[in-house]
Amino acid sequence: MDAGLVGIVEAGEPQMLATGFVFTEGPLWVAEGYWLFVDVRTSHVYKVVPGGEAEVVRANSDQSNGMTYDMQGRILVCEMESRQVQRWESDGSLTPIATHWDGKRLNRPNDVICASNGDIYFTDPGIRMEEHEKELDFFGVYRLSPDGDLQPVIKDFDFPNGLALSPDEKTLYVANTRPDMLIRAFDVQPDGSVANGRVFAELVSDAPEGAPDGMKVDTAGRVFSTGPGGCWVYSAEGEHLGTIVLPEVPANCAFGGDDYRTLFFTARTSVYSVRVTTPGVRPPGAP
């Protein structure tokens, strides 16, 4: 373990919870005692109880990716293939909540978070799209307000991917996957817009696999971002404290468990967990 992670990550090897997938993503803890995650390539959403077998809970999910809760405790999910963000209702039905902006279809929504005031932020890169399919001329970050107003808050990313809010919700972090592998930070304004964009961290590495992708924040303000070779851990000031190395390179992570001190990783063909000493920030709407 990196010396800088002593006292942050508990000693011991990462625990494999399930394997045999193609490319896992979109982790989310459910209070009933299980994890949800997706296999992007097969368009399946899985459920896994720690110590149990993974089971499909939704097939043909239009390449679902990032998931979170809204303030009513309903699951929000980005669907890349159908180019929308959907709300997963308690009866299993799906309600589209973001499909177009300015009369144009979204690109491929990737990751999503919800603030405690009900504002929903999501990234919308243009990966794996033919030029003729793109109706928008930018790859952005959007805010969906509680009254249903959808507006881009950032329009100058090359590949916006994972995103997270600081514990006080005053800072929005957004990962740029390529060509420049970095995390940018923005000040969240009272109206939900963002300002003062700046580089928070550059993930420069010789590791052959991985890029800035899924992110989460713990209650001490540390940022956990998947990246080259593992999960990079930063202080709230942007100091790289160390990298959590797993048997496979992770694409996303999430805090969960009864005490929110289990850090769950979706890593290529498998999903893993490690224990940490400080709880992660619980999604505001989590049941």
Side-chain angles (χ1 to χ4, degrees), residues 45-283:
V45 180
Y46 285 89
K47 163 186 175 180
V48 63
V49 177
E53 298 290 328
E55 61 179 284
V56 176
V57 294
R58 183 184 167 206
N60 304 314
S61 67
D62 282 321
Q63 290 192 350
S64 292
N65 200 326
M67 292 189 284
T68 194
Y69 295 102
D70 69 8
M71 290 307 296
Q72 288 70 49
R74 300 168 297 192
I75 294 173
L76 306 177
V77 55
C78 292
E79 293 183 356
M80 297 189 294
E81 190 67 24
S82 63
R83 301 168 65 171
Q84 62 187 343
V85 181
Q86 296 233 57
R87 186 173 64 231
W88 200 346
E89 310 289 359
S90 58
D91 63 1
S93 63
L94 293 160
T95 302
I97 62 169
T99 61
H100 293 71
W101 179 72
D102 195 30
K104 301 178 178 64
R105 290 187 72 187
L106 298 174
N107 297 311
R108 288 170 64 86
N110 188 288
D111 205 358
V112 59
I113 57 174
C114 183
S116 57
N117 66 357
D119 281 344
I120 296 165
Y121 294 89
F122 65 90
T123 54
D124 187 41
I127 55 171
R128 299 184 182 88
M129 296 182 71
E130 301 291 337
E131 283 301 317
H132 71 273
E133 297 176 312
K134 299 175 184 177
E135 298 183 20
L136 295 162
D137 60 2
F138 64 93
F139 308 138
V141 179
Y142 288 83
R143 167 184 170 262
L144 179 64
S145 67
D147 64 6
D149 181 50
L150 178 66
Q151 294 295 333
V153 293
I154 313 169
K155 300 174 70 174
D156 63 346
F157 268 94
D158 294 309
F159 188 162
N161 203 327
L163 70 176
L165 286 167
S166 60
D168 61 8
E169 300 188 351
K170 293 182 178 180
T171 304
L172 175 70
Y173 301 101
V174 185
N176 190 76
T177 295
R178 63 175 75 95
D180 298 319
M181 296 195 293
L182 51 83
I183 300 169
R184 292 169 65 188
F186 300 83
D187 296 333
V188 180
Q189 305 301 294
D191 64 357
S193 63
V194 301
N196 190 28
R198 59 213 181 263
V199 174
F200 173 77
E202 295 183 83
L203 284 71
V204 178
S205 171
D206 294 329
E209 284 190 86
D213 197 336
M215 284 191 293
K216 296 297 184 294
V217 176
D218 71 11
T219 55
R222 288 182 286 251
V223 177
F224 293 70
S225 173
T226 58
C231 178
W232 295 46
V233 184
Y234 290 91
S235 70
E237 294 71 39
E239 177 189 0
H240 181 213
L241 303 174
T243 300
I244 302 170
V245 177
L246 302 157
E248 299 175 75
V249 177
N252 209 336
C253 59
F255 288 100
D258 293 341
D259 57 4
Y260 266 71
R261 289 200 299 112
T262 297
L263 185 56
F264 178 89
F265 293 98
T266 53
R268 302 302 193 261
T269 67
S270 310
V271 292
Y272 301 86
S273 68
V274 300
R275 291 286 290 169
V276 294
T277 59
T278 302
V281 172
R282 184 187 300 263

Side-chain angles (χ1 to χ4, degrees), residues 28-36 47-50:
L28 185 68
W29 173 252
V30 179
E32 284 77 9
Y34 60 88
W35 298 97
L36 291 176
K47 163 186 175 180
V48 63
V49 177

